[in-house]
Amino acid sequence: MMLHDVSWPNDEDLRRGLVAWLDTLPGASWLTLPGRDPERHRVVVTLLHGNEPSGAKALWHFAQNSPDCAVTTHFCLANVKAALYDKPFTTRHFADKPDMNRCFGKTGEDDSYGIAAEIMTRIAKLKPEAVVDLHNTSGTSPSFSVSIIDDEKHQQIASLFTERMLCTSVRLGALMEQTTDESPIVTVECGGAADHSAHEVAKNGLHHFLTADNIFANHSGFWPLDLLYHPVRVQLKQELELCYHDRKVEDADLTLPPDIDRHNFGWMAADSMIGWLGEKGLDGMTTNDGEGGHPIDALFYEHDGELRLKHASKLFMITTKHHIALSDCLFYMVVD
């Protein structure tokens, strides 16, 4: 077994602090809190990425301020080892291991696949009425949610946390892709990992998620959703050079401004300059919308070495962290 049942933090744990408590855990861990209705279940997953702390910090808040759970609620802390490596909450996943949130619905020899499978086995057995997977973005960003299904249940879960929901066809092996009608799963990107506001999003959203008798009714007090469809994942091709600078770097295949993440969730006009291209031009970039559409030259064009938008677009999940931009993606975008 790679997913360990552990107890709720005790008074001594609370005095020592979150990181010290995480260090006592045997690895990927599962906690259960009883609710007023023991026959119903909800699940909270967090730390699938070790550098995304808002979910764990929200759990710690409720450990110190015991919630009155409406139903039996389960918490999964997935990649605890990565979260504790070096400086806490700075390592997404170990370099020799796969991204755990790319392991769902897949098989592989690494234990990350086994942990993902055990999480899904527990969800299948419990049949929770809702599952939320809490994340942070790599750059400064407003909160938003992501779902592969645009229906009332997924929207209502999302609206507990945020005012934005992306409906995506991209499939990467993420937990949310395992959603079902019986147990809907929504990803919540609470905002930037270093942003205090992101921790508040997680805490306030979880308060509603934990305490509401019926999270699928009486939603007048929650966020109205801005729905965005068909996000496109934009990447630099493998083995190419990416730089962040306020001017073109001659040896780079793509140069992006160091403050490009200021555009997260802001509409950008057609012809806006995104960065600078190298000798390969647009051929150094690739896109994926999950449906085989939106080729790179339908979204961007090159003008005097500059990378420019063909259409008014909204960019999000922009990161200025070099290793994440190369291993994951540069950003996502939706076109007006």
Side-chain angles (χ1 to χ4, degrees):
M1 183 182 73
M2 289 173 277
L3 187 56
H4 306 272
D5 289 287
V6 300
S7 301
W8 197 246
N10 59 34
D11 289 342
E12 176 60 26
D13 295 325
L14 295 176
R15 282 192 291 271
R16 295 175 63 208
L18 170 59
V19 172
W21 175 68
L22 289 174
D23 197 39
T24 68
L25 301 181
S29 297
W30 189 276
L31 302 83
T32 298
L33 281 181
R36 296 189 300 273
D37 184 346
E39 301 304 314
R40 294 158 57 201
H41 300 267
R42 296 170 193 165
V43 172
V44 180
V45 178
T46 194
L47 283 186
L48 280 170
H49 294 144
N51 63 338
E52 300 177 5
S54 285
K57 291 188 179 220
L59 180 152
W60 197 247
H61 166 79
F62 290 112
Q64 299 170 87
N65 304 272
S66 185
D68 180 20
C69 292
V71 307
T72 301
T73 305
H74 309 265
F75 295 81
C76 177
L77 297 164
N79 206 341
V80 174
K81 292 179 181 178
L84 292 172
Y85 180 72
D86 196 19
K87 184 179 178 182
F89 305 123
T90 60
T91 301
R92 182 181 176 93
H93 61 87
F94 294 116
D96 60 347
K97 286 181 165 292
D99 183 327
M100 197 177 290
N101 204 32
R102 303 294 181 264
C103 294
F104 289 89
K106 299 180 180 181
T107 58
E109 294 183 2
D110 190 87
D111 61 5
S112 299
Y113 295 96
I115 293 168
E118 286 196 34
I119 291 171
M120 290 313 306
T121 296
R122 298 229 183 179
I123 289 173
K125 182 177 180 180
L126 291 168
K127 298 180 173 59
E129 60 189 26
V131 180
V132 64
D133 179 22
L134 299 181
H135 286 263
N136 289 104
T137 55
S138 299
T140 295
S141 171
S143 64
F144 61 97
S145 58
V146 190
S147 173
I148 66 167
I149 296 178
D150 176 24
D151 67 7
E152 190 171 348
K153 275 192 172 183
H154 290 78
Q155 289 180 23
Q156 287 172 322
I157 296 170
S159 72
L160 298 172
F161 292 84
T162 183
E163 59 194 283
R164 305 168 190 87
M165 188 169 96
L166 302 171
C167 306
T168 182
S169 299
V170 177
R171 300 293 185 269
L172 301 171
L175 171 59
M176 67 169 182
E177 295 164 22
Q178 303 301 308
T179 192
T180 64
D181 291 339
E182 186 174 46
S183 296
I185 306 173
V186 172
T187 290
V188 176
E189 298 280 355
C190 298
D195 297 343
H196 176 73
S197 59
H199 309 330
E200 291 298 303
V201 166
K203 182 177 72 175
N204 293 335
L206 273 186
H207 171 76
H208 296 308
F209 188 82
L210 297 175
T211 61
D213 286 321
N214 187 346
I215 60 177
F216 302 116
N218 303 320
H219 264 232
S220 59
F222 300 135
W223 291 107
L225 283 177
D226 177 18
L227 296 169
L228 298 170
Y229 296 94
H230 308 299
V232 183
R233 179 179 168 90
V234 181
Q235 296 175 285
L236 192 65
K237 290 181 179 176
Q238 290 186 354
E239 310 300 328
L240 297 189
E241 184 66 30
L242 169 69
C243 286
Y244 291 93
H245 207 285
D246 57 8
R247 58 174 175 79
K248 181 176 181 177
V249 177
E250 292 301 327
D251 293 336
D253 297 290
L254 176 65
T255 307
L256 296 175
D259 61 349
I260 188 173
D261 59 348
R262 76 186 191 279
H263 294 299
N264 266 317
F265 272 99
W267 279 110
M268 300 182 70
D271 304 312
S272 293
M273 196 272 284
I274 300 294
W276 298 269
L277 292 163
E279 290 184 0
K280 290 182 172 58
L282 291 177
D283 289 340
M285 299 174 66
T286 185
T287 62
N288 176 16
D289 67 356
E291 298 176 346
H294 294 96
I296 196 74
D297 59 3
L299 300 173
F300 303 96
Y301 67 95
E302 183 175 0
H303 176 73
D304 292 337
E306 296 176 343
L307 176 66
R308 291 181 175 267
L309 292 174
K310 273 196 171 179
H311 313 280
S313 305
K314 182 173 284 192
L315 277 59
F316 52 94
M317 290 194 76
I318 308 170
T319 181
T320 56
K321 290 183 168 54
H322 185 268
H323 65 289
I324 293 178
L326 290 179
S327 64
D328 191 36
C329 70
L330 300 168
F331 50 80
Y332 283 77
M333 63 189 295
V334 292
V335 178
D336 189 11

